[in-house]
Amino acid sequence: MSSRTLPLLFINLGGEMLYILDQRLRAQNIPADKAKKVMNDIITTMFNKKFLEELFKPQELYSKKALRTVFDRLAHASIMRLNQASMDKLYDLMTMAFKYQVLLCLRPKDILLVSFNHMDAIKDFVKDTPSILSLVDETYRQLIEMYTSLSHGEFQLIRQTLLIFFQDMHIRVSIFLKDKVQNSNGRFVLPTSGPVPHGTQVPGLIRMFSCTGEEVTRLQFNNGGNYTAGLREGSFEMFGDRVTKLGTNMYSVSRPVETHMSGTSKSSAQHTKVNTAPNPLAKEELNLLAKLMGGLEVQKTGNADSGFRVNLFATDEEEEEALITRPDELSYGVINIQATKDHQANAELAKIMGEFTESGHQSPSASSKGDDLLAMMDGL
Amino acid sequence: MYHKEKSIQIKNSASALYNNLSVLRIAPRRLTYFTVVHANVVNMVSASWDGLNYSHRQLQSKEPNVATSTSLIMQAAFCVLPSRELLVITSQKGIQMYESDGSIMVYWHALDTPETPSEVNYVPAQAVFARGISAVWENYICVGVSSGSILVFDVPSKGSNITLSEVLEEHKESITDIASECSGSQQCIADLVSADDGGNLCVWKSGEEFQLLNKIPGFDMSCSSVKLWKGTVVAGYGTGQIRLYEAVTGILHAEVNAHARWIYSLDIAPFSGLLLSAAEDSLVRVWHLTVSQETNSVEVAHLHNECVTDTQICGARFCDGDGYAFAVTGYDLSEIIRYTQT
């Protein structure tokens, strides 16, 4: 499938993560300077030059396990800590939000507009810090360079690749249920009303032509929906009205965000079947993780003065409860990697990766080697 | 006009891929086979006509040298030739052909990957995959490739001595769908049409050397599904439009603003002229086509709508040549929904 999907997946999920963290930092009354530091640190890490270089290379999508690990790292790029249950919930919310946006996009190219909506909001988060702002601007440029010239068919391929990644995820999100955009079975509501995509006509007309090209007959039929004419096209430039609301911050109004675990285990079990196939491209995932780790400042995790914990649940008890009751099929199998710029650890990692490269072409054991490497990183 | 029947449950949900449902009717055994693609697996169901027996089988995409495959499948389709029926599966790595019951793989063709630099896990920016499958005439199976090439395979009436007979290089963009008519018995001027991501259509005459008869330009709007019937090309586009062209001349006969979203599947019941269209907008529509080759006129009439609530449809096929019944698949749905005429 499309080898240009990862940057869009990462940026949009990252954007959703920032919306949620911003809301939780406010809800927990974290002091403004600390909250700002967290947001700035995460955004700086997200748009780290070397990291983006790796991200924008043509490649297949990462496994769910690897991507989840990347976001784990990202969420801990600053003085904020999240417990396992809160991290799980954060990731659930992020992924379901982006799945919703991908599904509801009027046409595949709109995924780029959704990405720009996220980028616009991120830019707003760091507008007071020129150094980070320039990183964000650079990312806009890379997005524009890579994506604006793609055809509609290529965007549909990207969309189809994303939909395979999100296949069978039906976690219920309280804010979606309340807004009636998600049903109680976890499936999103797809309305048969509203504006048609830019470039599409409202269904209902049949035109028949003679051999010379003249219209001979016009027939109307009932389209079974309630559609209106398409809106103007959104802007694909660094600034502009994106037109679509998908990808904008839906947490601006302070609302508690709960996810429901029950009733989703059946469909998720089918999903994990595809996921457990060994991934022979684990090396690429390690590259990205290494770049991410390499760019981090050492955080004094034990410092009681600056560090703090954020809870995605209303109370600590709820958080503990969520950890215990989470169905097995929905666990992400996260690899624990410590935030460290330890040179020795990096050298160790580089050596391990060097060994993996030397093994050369793919053989039946290569896939298990990838898994071993990922497991080895546990101990770093 | 149609009412919903009991759905068939499948082992995995359908992936969002064009034309993601294939149906093979086996009258002598009173069975129908259905195939639905889920990521790297093809789910096959064999359903008896009395509705009492269902058996399931899963086929994986093949990848050289690796025990378990992560190569994603783009399409699975039954190919009916006069002498035999095969199930063709196309993926990111190549093309697999099985006996129609999925029991034995009779042929494997690996796709050429473009010149790879020395780096081991080089991934080209341009995706590599095969998509678009059709049986043509007496002994050919045509498969499209992401580069725009069409591979023509020569299929003997028995056995696995299938060979690559020709590569048609006309399209510059990824092939999305291929369709034919007149396999075996009749003679047609044009018997094959191919469509690509840019909406361009090529019309061919099969033979030892395939002949390009006509090229119909797209307008940068992807054509995701195409059919050929009575010398008429029926094409479904990403804009939700269906267009009918006279194959050999490219004359536009009709244009239908059919759907509010990207069309994913078209099918024609050849004996009755019924047309089925399905799209991301949750709707399946049934139309009637009248093609008069003498007066060179084509008429389209809308007959029926079915809404599959909250589902982006990815496959829709008639289950028989008259269009008495049809089946539908949707993204994230683990069932094949069936409808029968009332």
Side-chain angles (χ1 to χ4, degrees):
Chain A
M1 302 290 276
S2 180
S3 53
R4 290 187 251 245
T5 315
L6 189 60
L8 294 181
L9 181 60
F10 178 77
I11 287 168
N12 285 289
L13 287 179
E16 285 301 316
M17 183 173 87
L18 289 165
Y19 289 159
I20 297 163
L21 290 178
D22 177 59
Q23 198 262 355
R24 289 315 292 165
L25 289 167
R26 259 186 255 269
Q28 272 182 237
N29 294 312
I30 302 295
D33 61 321
K34 284 194 180 176
K36 195 150 187 73
K37 177 166 170 51
V38 170
M39 296 296 280
N40 282 354
D41 286 349
I42 293 176
I43 293 169
T44 307
T45 314
M46 243 179 101
F47 296 117
N48 169 276
K49 191 160 182 277
K50 280 208 167 343
F51 182 70
L52 284 184
E53 228 174 72
E54 184 62 41
L55 190 75
F56 272 82
K57 282 187 191 155
Q59 58 197 308
E60 295 293 314
L61 272 193
Y62 286 14
S63 66
K64 285 187 124 60
K65 195 173 171 179
L67 198 67
R68 166 60 201 263
T69 307
V70 170
F71 280 103
D72 233 34
R73 273 308 319 116
L74 199 57
H76 288 95
S78 186
I79 54 178
M80 180 189 72
R81 289 283 157 271
L82 291 167
N83 285 343
Q84 168 92 341
S86 278
M87 189 64 221
D88 283 345
K89 178 171 168 181
L90 174 64
Y91 196 71
D92 286 344
L93 291 171
M94 285 157 57
T95 42
M96 287 309 287
F98 190 42
K99 179 174 184 175
Y100 170 70
Q101 289 151 16
V102 171
L103 268 176
L104 270 288
C105 262
L106 293 182
R107 42 169 211 172
K109 192 164 185 182
D110 287 2
I111 293 177
L112 190 54
L113 293 173
V114 172
S115 313
F116 283 135
N117 271 331
H118 282 117
M119 289 292 294
D120 292 344
I122 292 170
K123 190 164 176 172
D124 193 59
F125 283 133
V126 295
K127 62 177 183 280
D128 299 329
T129 321
S131 55
I132 313 177
L133 202 55
S134 66
L135 289 180
V136 177
D137 282 345
E138 179 53 33
T139 312
Y140 268 106
R141 275 188 281 274
Q142 289 206 37
L143 280 173
I144 290 169
E145 194 189 306
M146 184 173 216
Y147 292 104
T148 44
S149 58
L150 293 188
S151 69
H152 292 281
E154 284 168 304
F155 270 109
Q156 180 64 282
L157 190 69
I158 289 172
R159 184 173 177 277
Q160 291 175 343
T161 310
L162 287 169
L163 288 178
I164 290 182
F165 185 83
F166 292 127
Q167 192 123 12
D168 302 320
M169 291 186 69
H170 301 297
I171 299 165
R172 283 140 54 210
V173 176
S174 162
I175 207 175
F176 287 141
L177 295 170
K178 278 206 187 88
D179 290 348
K180 301 226 184 307
V181 299
Q182 190 180 30
N183 295 318
S184 54
N185 63 5
R187 287 161 191 280
F188 291 116
V189 174
L190 301 181
T192 52
S193 58
V196 290
H198 181 83
T200 293
Q201 302 295 318
V202 173
L205 184 62
I206 303 172
R207 299 168 73 199
M208 288 174 273
F209 305 93
S210 70
C211 298
T212 51
E214 284 159 41
E215 187 184 295
V216 178
T217 323
R218 252 183 191 233
L219 293 176
Q220 292 280 357
F221 67 90
N222 174 19
N223 64 27
N226 189 9
Y227 301 105
T228 52
L231 304 170
R232 67 195 182 289
E233 196 175 28
S235 163
F236 291 101
E237 309 196 0
M238 278 187 68
F239 305 97
D241 180 7
R242 312 298 179 189
V243 179
T244 180
K245 294 283 161 271
L246 296 169
T248 55
N249 194 344
M250 62 179 167
Y251 304 104
S252 322
V253 178
S254 189
R255 296 189 260 186
V257 274
E258 295 134 39
T259 51
H260 299 257
M261 289 296 110
S262 62
T264 55
S265 41
K266 193 164 170 213
S267 35
S268 303
Q270 292 168 344
H271 189 44
T272 48
K273 208 173 181 181
V274 178
N275 270 344
T276 51
N279 183 1
L281 295 179
K283 179 174 168 285
E284 269 56 46
E285 300 170 353
L286 290 172
N287 272 339
L288 193 70
L289 286 165
K291 295 248 161 37
L292 190 56
M293 283 160 48
L296 289 169
E297 293 299 321
V298 175
Q299 295 296 341
K300 293 189 172 62
T301 54
N303 190 338
D305 285 349
S306 56
F308 62 91
R309 216 189 86 231
V310 162
N311 188 346
L312 271 271
F313 297 85
T315 63
D316 286 349
E317 290 72 38
E318 256 191 64
E319 193 186 39
E320 255 182 63
E321 179 70 32
L323 184 66
I324 299 164
T325 58
R326 190 178 181 87
D328 280 334
E329 311 88 74
L330 293 177
S331 70
Y332 289 103
V334 176
I335 306 141
N336 240 322
I337 301 170
Q338 288 173 26
T340 169
K341 203 181 171 188
D342 187 331
H343 290 292
Q344 198 193 347
N346 269 353
E348 191 62 45
L349 179 65
K351 180 168 157 266
I352 294 166
M353 283 168 59
E355 284 167 355
F356 186 78
T357 326
E358 277 153 27
S359 71
H361 48 189
Q362 291 175 355
S363 55
S365 59
S367 43
S368 52
K369 204 167 191 177
D371 269 340
D372 289 341
L373 275 166
L374 288 171
M376 262 193 258
M377 288 174 79
D378 255 341
L380 282 174
Chain B
M1 189 184 172
Y2 287 89
H3 64 269
K4 201 167 155 198
E5 292 270 21
K6 186 169 151 230
S7 294
I8 304 175
Q9 299 302 317
I10 43 178
K11 299 286 181 204
N12 302 111
S13 56
S15 288
L17 298 163
Y18 302 142
N19 308 299
N20 191 4
L21 174 64
S22 189
V23 179
L24 182 67
R25 194 163 180 268
I26 308 196
R29 291 169 59 204
R30 304 182 62 77
L31 285 178
T32 304
Y33 291 153
F34 299 86
T35 58
V36 182
V37 178
H38 170 97
N40 60 338
V41 163
V42 176
N43 288 297
M44 240 187 107
V45 185
S46 160
S48 63
W49 289 3
D50 57 10
L52 296 176
N53 289 308
Y54 297 97
S55 73
H56 300 260
R57 171 172 252 150
Q58 287 190 317
L59 299 170
Q60 275 231 327
S61 59
K62 181 179 150 68
E63 197 166 346
N65 304 324
V66 180
T68 326
S69 172
T70 53
S71 167
L72 294 172
I73 296 176
M74 303 301 288
Q75 194 179 0
F78 289 107
C79 289
V80 178
L81 293 166
S83 54
R84 68 197 295 193
E85 291 151 351
L86 292 175
L87 171 62
V88 179
I89 296 175
T90 58
S91 69
Q92 292 177 286
K93 288 286 188 273
I95 299 154
Q96 295 154 265
M97 297 192 193
Y98 288 82
E99 294 297 352
S100 61
D101 63 357
S103 56
I104 314 164
M105 185 162 83
V106 294
Y107 183 66
W108 157 251
H109 175 95
L111 287 178
D112 294 328
T113 36
E115 275 124 52
T116 55
S118 50
E119 194 185 319
V120 173
N121 285 313
Y122 171 70
V123 176
Q126 218 39 52
V128 175
F129 56 80
R131 178 176 62 187
I133 304 168
S134 184
V136 190
W137 186 226
E138 289 186 325
N139 58 315
Y140 297 113
I141 288 179
C142 290
V143 179
V145 182
S146 46
S147 60
S149 307
I150 297 172
L151 307 175
V152 181
F153 295 97
D154 193 317
V155 181
S157 54
K158 264 204 289 275
S160 54
N161 189 22
I162 296 168
T163 53
L164 178 63
S165 142
E166 208 184 340
V167 179
L168 309 174
E169 311 267 21
E170 200 59 51
H171 291 274
K172 303 282 174 287
E173 295 175 72
S174 298
I175 304 294
T176 47
D177 196 17
I178 303 179
S180 74
E181 69 165 340
C182 313
S183 78
S185 43
Q186 311 153 260
Q187 272 285 359
C188 290
I189 307 171
D191 57 1
L192 183 72
V193 63
S194 52
D196 69 26
D197 247 354
N200 304 299
L201 304 167
C202 286
V203 179
W204 311 83
K205 173 88 188 97
S206 68
E208 258 183 52
E209 264 180 44
F210 276 53
Q211 245 189 300
L212 176 69
L213 299 181
N214 193 17
K215 264 182 111 153
I216 302 170
F219 297 96
D220 266 330
M221 182 33 75
S222 190
C223 171
S224 39
S225 197
V226 74
K227 285 270 159 304
L228 185 61
W229 184 66
K230 290 195 175 177
T232 308
V233 171
V234 184
Y237 296 85
T239 49
Q241 262 195 352
I242 297 175
R243 291 197 211 123
L244 284 81
Y245 293 96
E246 184 177 79
V248 177
T249 59
I251 293 173
L252 177 66
H253 280 307
E255 188 178 82
V256 186
N257 296 337
H259 287 276
R261 298 278 190 281
W262 205 286
I263 291 176
Y264 260 63
S265 194
L266 291 181
D267 198 22
I268 293 183
F271 306 143
S272 59
L274 288 178
L275 168 69
L276 194 64
S277 67
E280 285 175 357
D281 62 1
S282 308
L283 284 152
V284 185
R285 303 196 197 275
V286 185
W287 318 77
H288 185 243
L289 303 181
T290 319
V291 174
S292 165
Q293 283 167 304
E294 298 84 48
T295 58
N296 212 3
S297 69
V298 172
E299 277 168 33
V300 185
H302 174 256
L303 296 183
H304 184 73
N305 295 328
E306 281 292 342
C307 181
V308 186
T309 316
D310 300 332
T311 304
Q312 298 200 339
I313 303 172
C314 50
R317 288 250 180 261
F318 283 116
C319 299
D320 58 273
D322 290 296
Y324 177 72
F326 65 88
V328 170
T329 57
Y331 170 65
D332 258 357
L333 270 196
S334 304
E335 58 186 292
I336 300 170
I337 308 173
R338 291 188 294 177
Y339 300 86
T340 321
Q341 272 187 25
T342 356

